[in-house]
């Protein structure tokens, strides 16, 4: 049996992956089989979130009993193939070659070019000069960060942001990333004023509408607090009051790869702040960096311990590695990361940090001990495989039953994020689809209509026509005339749609941890699967538990936690190396 046949019979590859290999074979029947296999695996790798296929780790990409070629056999086949480009690191690859081989990785050409172009765009941004700090701005810095002389990490991060055109600010939930950057924006406004320049044009953006709205709300609150504390009102007013999704900022239309704003028609901003950068995939970050005008500042906020983006690439981790590299002419980001690790969100209601820290370190014993200890707000329902088991069902459903009886859509929307059931899987007994169906049956009965009062909906595709975006959550309620509508909170206020006219959507009582990124919930119920699965990783567990603000319930066997902590959500990428790591 040929290698390609073995792969096809394994059931791992998608039809589109095999179609690429077969297309190459039709065009040139002399192409060696390892090249055809590499093409199919490069396509499949992108679908799994990688930027490329690593020939040394084929068994990690495809878990099937297949006898893979050794490195020499791969290289010999690649060297004999005219369809594979081997450009120098900074050179554009041949547009006629669908595949690119570089450093043992096989790329679909488009994704290799995204990596190369992103690295070049970041180098360009890093080269922009920044003005020296004026004495008045230094005095303002001391006022905004009174603990700076005692080694305050936020003060140090703010100083780095003023001294560099590109800065990565990392840290877990509640460590003050947004608070720090909001004060940086005030300092940039003060710096413009002392230099007799116009106030900087500042944009706030995030990968999802939820994350953008949360950041905008935080920045507005911080601006008001600073104004009340006596900070110059003109400087506080320079802070933006709204935020955008990255797709909306760039003018990306669903189904199209071209953006309205790019290198030829750049964005009209002097400063761009991007929150939840761990969720930004490789193509989107490339388009974003290229669309920034010369001299613009880029401030990226994120938590590298969270799950990487759903789409290809783990950009935040690659940039963090590049920032931590030894300074050199080939490492433009070296030294441009500020890490915050002091939690400010810790409350008496939820003592999450001991468990979160143990998960970050991959310490199974400490994680289980922390969960079993029952710290404030943390409950471990060990070996529970069904959130509807006796003793769990009613505490989980009580909040949603109350939502069903709401008459005010605005009040209901303010309460939809109080409770959420998260899961590692989309399908199966512990998957989001099945759990949503069971919750809906519990709330509205087996003979329920598709849409019923209190049903939570999550949009799963961007729709510029509706002004709704992937991840937006709404609720079905009746209006004053008794008509059932789906209500969403938007930048312009409350909006209602006939449910059947919505873009693609699903139930939102339960969702995967991936879909919950960028969100926070008062109470999180995290259902872990009964058996080990490749989806389980340290990053997934960390992301799931850190969505909780006041209460965390973890359900599942200890073996699932041990499996998750033993596995990293590793992504194949050459971006960090291109940037000097």
């Amino acid at each position: 049996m040929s290698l390609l046949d073995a792969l096809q019979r394994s059931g791992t590859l998608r039809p589109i992956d095999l179609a690429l290999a077969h297309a190459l074979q039709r065009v040139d029947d002399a192409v060696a089989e390892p090249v055809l296999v590499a093409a199919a695996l490069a396509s499949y790798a992108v679908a799994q979130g990688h930027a490329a296929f690593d020939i040394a780790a084929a068994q990690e990409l495809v878990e099937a009993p297949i006898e893979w070629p050794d490195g020499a056999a791969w290289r010999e086949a690649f060297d004999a193939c005219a369809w594979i480009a081997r450009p120098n690191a900074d050179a554009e690859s041949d547009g006629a070659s669908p595949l690119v081989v570089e450093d043992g990785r096989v790329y679909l050409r488009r994704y290799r070019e995204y990596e190369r172009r992103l690295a070049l765009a970041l180098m360009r941004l890093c080269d922009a000069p920044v003005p020296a700090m004026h004495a008045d701005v230094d005095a303002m810095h001391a006022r905004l960060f009174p603990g700076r002389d005692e080694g305050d990490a936020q003060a140090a991060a703010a100083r780095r942001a003023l001294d560099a055109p590109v800065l990565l600010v990392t840290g877990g939930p509640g460590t003050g990333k947004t608070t720090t950057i909001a004060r940086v924006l005030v300092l940039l406004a003060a710096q413009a004023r002392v230099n007799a320049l116009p106030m900087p044009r500042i944009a706030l953006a995030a990968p999802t509408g939820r994350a953008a709205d949360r950041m905008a709300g935080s920045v507005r609150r911080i601006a008001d607090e600073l104004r009340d504390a006596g900070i110059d009102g003109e400087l506080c007013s320079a802070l933006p009051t709204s935020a955008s999704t990255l797709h909306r900022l760039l003018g990306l239309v669903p189904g199209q790869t071209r953006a309205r704003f790019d290198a030829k028609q750049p964005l009209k901003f002097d400063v761009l702040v991007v929150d939840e950068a761990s969720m930004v995939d490789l193509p989107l970050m490339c388009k974003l960096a290229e669309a920034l005008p010369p001299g613009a500042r880029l401030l990226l906020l994120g938590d590298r311990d969270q799950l990487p983006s759903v789409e290809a690439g783990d950009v935040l981790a690659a940039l963090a590695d590049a920032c931590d590299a030894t300074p050199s002419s080939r490492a433009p980001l070296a030294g441009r990361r500020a890490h915050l690790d002091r939690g400010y969100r810790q409350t008496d209601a939820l003592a999450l940090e001991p468990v979160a820290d143990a998960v970050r370190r991959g310490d199974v014993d400490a994680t289980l001990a922390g969960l079993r200890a029952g710290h404030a707000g943390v409950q471990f329902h060990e070996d529970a495989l069904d959130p509807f088991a006796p003793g769990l069902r009613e505490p989980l459903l009580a909040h949603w039953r109350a939502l069903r009886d709401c008459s005010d859509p605005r009040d209901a929307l303010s309460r939809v994020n109080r409770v959420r059931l998260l899961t590692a899987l989309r399908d199966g007994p512990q998957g989001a689809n099945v759990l949503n169906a069971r919750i809906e049956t519990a709330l509205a009965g087996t003979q329920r209509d598709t849409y019923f009062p209190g049903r939570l909906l999550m949009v799963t595709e961007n729709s510029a026509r509706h002004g709704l975006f992937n991840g937006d959550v709404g609720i079905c309620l009746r209006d004053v005339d008794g008509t059932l509508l789906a209500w969403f909170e938007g930048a312009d206020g409350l909006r209602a749609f006939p449910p059947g006219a919505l873009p693609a959507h699903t139930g939102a009582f339960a969702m995967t941890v991936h879909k919950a990124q960028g969100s926070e919930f008062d109470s999180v119920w995290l259902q872990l699967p009964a058996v080990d699965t490749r989806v389980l990783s340290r990053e997934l567990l960390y992301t799931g538990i850190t969505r909780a603000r006041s209460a965390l319930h973890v359900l599942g066997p200890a073996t699932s936690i041990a499996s998750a902590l033993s596995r990293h959500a590793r992504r194949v990428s050459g971006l960090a190396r291109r940037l000097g790591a």
Side-chain angles (χ1 to χ4, degrees):
M1 183 189 303
S2 73
L3 181 57
L4 193 60
D5 287 340
L7 263 178
Q8 188 165 356
R9 292 193 180 188
S10 75
T12 300
L13 300 188
R14 305 167 302 161
I16 194 172
D17 306 323
L18 294 165
L20 174 60
H22 293 148
L24 283 176
Q25 192 173 39
R26 285 194 301 271
V27 172
D28 183 356
D29 60 8
V31 174
E33 187 180 46
V35 174
L36 302 178
V37 170
L41 291 177
S43 173
Y44 176 68
V46 169
Q48 299 305 303
H50 303 287
F53 158 53
D54 181 355
I55 63 173
Q59 70 280 358
E60 295 178 18
L61 181 64
V62 178
E63 291 185 349
I66 293 175
E67 187 174 340
W68 299 101
D70 61 21
W74 286 113
R75 288 190 292 273
E76 182 180 348
F78 297 158
D79 289 342
C81 182
W83 297 105
I84 293 179
R86 301 167 197 78
N88 293 328
D90 295 334
E92 183 177 358
S93 56
D94 184 353
S97 300
L99 301 175
V100 180
V101 171
E102 194 171 18
D103 293 330
R105 297 181 298 274
V106 183
Y107 291 88
L108 298 181
R109 178 183 181 273
R110 183 197 308 175
Y111 287 88
R112 188 267 180 181
E113 289 305 304
Y114 281 137
E115 267 192 15
R116 182 187 68 86
R117 287 163 44 196
L118 174 55
L120 291 176
L122 289 171
M123 291 177 189
R124 170 181 62 83
L125 292 170
C126 287
D127 284 341
V130 295
M133 182 179 284
H134 191 278
D136 290 349
V137 179
D138 184 59
M140 177 69 74
H141 179 267
R143 184 176 177 187
L144 291 174
F145 298 96
R148 76 172 187 177
D149 294 332
E150 285 75 47
D152 178 48
Q154 291 189 7
R159 184 59 191 254
R160 282 194 187 184
L162 293 172
D163 292 340
V166 177
L167 186 73
L168 179 61
V169 182
T170 57
T175 51
K177 298 185 295 293
T178 305
T179 299
T180 301
I181 292 303
R183 286 166 167 75
V184 167
L185 299 179
V186 171
L187 291 168
L188 290 175
Q191 189 161 270
R193 187 164 68 180
V194 298
N195 290 324
L197 296 173
M199 287 288 111
R201 298 167 297 177
I202 302 169
L204 306 177
T208 68
R210 298 190 307 275
D213 289 345
R214 198 175 75 241
M215 176 168 59
S218 296
V219 171
R220 288 194 301 269
R221 174 182 54 77
I222 294 165
D224 289 341
E225 290 173 354
L226 293 176
R227 195 178 283 108
D228 292 343
I231 301 299
D232 191 313
E234 181 187 15
L235 302 181
C236 295
S237 296
L239 273 60
T241 58
S242 62
S244 170
T245 64
L246 292 172
H247 284 82
R248 193 183 308 162
L249 184 82
L250 290 170
L252 278 165
V253 177
Q256 298 183 15
T257 57
R258 290 291 303 274
R260 177 186 173 193
F261 296 100
D262 55 21
K264 294 180 180 178
Q265 186 175 351
L267 294 162
K268 295 178 172 58
F269 298 113
D270 304 305
V271 183
L272 174 62
V273 181
V274 179
D275 198 10
E276 298 290 352
S278 64
M279 299 173 63
V280 184
D281 58 57
L282 175 61
L284 187 56
M285 187 66 84
C286 174
K287 293 168 185 174
L288 183 70
E290 289 185 329
L292 286 172
R297 290 178 182 264
L298 176 61
L299 304 172
L300 299 171
L301 318 182
D303 184 351
R304 74 166 297 172
D305 294 312
Q306 284 190 31
L307 280 167
S309 60
V310 175
E311 304 299 332
D314 189 355
V315 176
L316 179 66
L319 297 186
D321 289 342
C323 289
D324 297 343
T326 302
S328 74
S329 60
R330 297 291 301 172
L333 289 174
R336 301 189 186 215
R337 176 161 84 110
H339 184 69
L340 305 176
D341 56 14
R342 178 186 171 189
Y344 292 88
R345 196 180 296 160
Q346 192 81 19
T347 66
D348 292 338
L350 179 62
L352 185 61
E353 184 54 34
V355 174
D357 181 61
V359 171
R360 273 194 297 264
R361 293 184 281 108
D363 189 327
V364 176
D365 291 339
T367 299
L368 292 173
L371 290 172
R372 289 166 177 159
H375 294 299
V378 178
Q379 293 189 52
F380 185 25
H381 308 281
E382 193 165 355
D383 295 324
L385 301 178
D386 184 359
F388 301 96
L392 300 177
R393 176 187 175 94
E394 289 311 313
L396 177 62
L397 293 176
H399 172 71
W400 293 324
R401 292 193 198 282
L403 277 183
R404 181 186 56 187
D405 300 326
C406 274
S407 58
D408 181 358
R410 194 177 304 278
D411 175 51
L413 285 168
S414 72
R415 296 160 58 186
V416 298
N417 283 341
R418 291 190 181 173
V419 178
R420 198 61 47 90
L421 176 58
L422 303 183
T423 175
L425 306 171
R426 186 172 56 213
D427 301 309
Q430 286 99 30
N433 291 338
V434 170
L435 293 173
N436 261 314
R438 293 182 66 191
I439 292 168
E440 291 172 7
T441 297
L443 295 177
T446 55
Q447 303 302 314
R448 66 188 181 279
D449 292 330
T450 302
Y451 304 101
F452 56 86
R455 186 186 182 200
L456 298 186
L457 301 175
M458 180 173 60
V459 175
T460 57
E461 70 176 16
N462 295 329
S463 174
R465 181 168 65 89
H466 292 83
L468 295 173
F469 297 88
N470 188 3
D472 286 352
V473 173
I475 186 168
C476 293
L477 291 175
R478 299 193 185 280
D479 66 6
V480 292
D481 298 322
T483 303
L484 188 69
L485 297 172
W487 301 82
F488 291 82
E489 189 75 57
D492 300 324
L494 204 62
R495 293 176 299 151
F497 304 88
L502 290 171
H505 56 278
T506 186
F509 297 103
M511 62 173 58
T512 62
V513 174
H514 266 104
K515 282 291 187 183
Q517 277 187 277
S519 297
E520 293 177 345
F521 312 100
D522 289 349
S523 178
V524 164
W525 292 65
L526 176 61
Q527 176 67 67
L528 297 174
V531 295
D532 190 21
T533 168
R534 290 179 64 180
V535 172
L536 274 179
S537 67
R538 188 182 304 182
E539 291 80 6
L540 183 138
L541 184 58
Y542 174 82
T543 303
I545 66 175
T546 55
R547 300 309 90 202
R549 282 190 295 241
S550 302
L552 171 67
H553 299 259
V554 178
L555 297 77
T559 52
S560 289
I561 291 173
S563 295
L565 296 184
S566 70
R567 185 184 291 119
H568 273 296
R570 176 179 175 267
R571 295 285 177 85
V572 174
S573 166
L575 180 60
R577 184 167 179 173
R578 293 182 197 280
L579 292 167

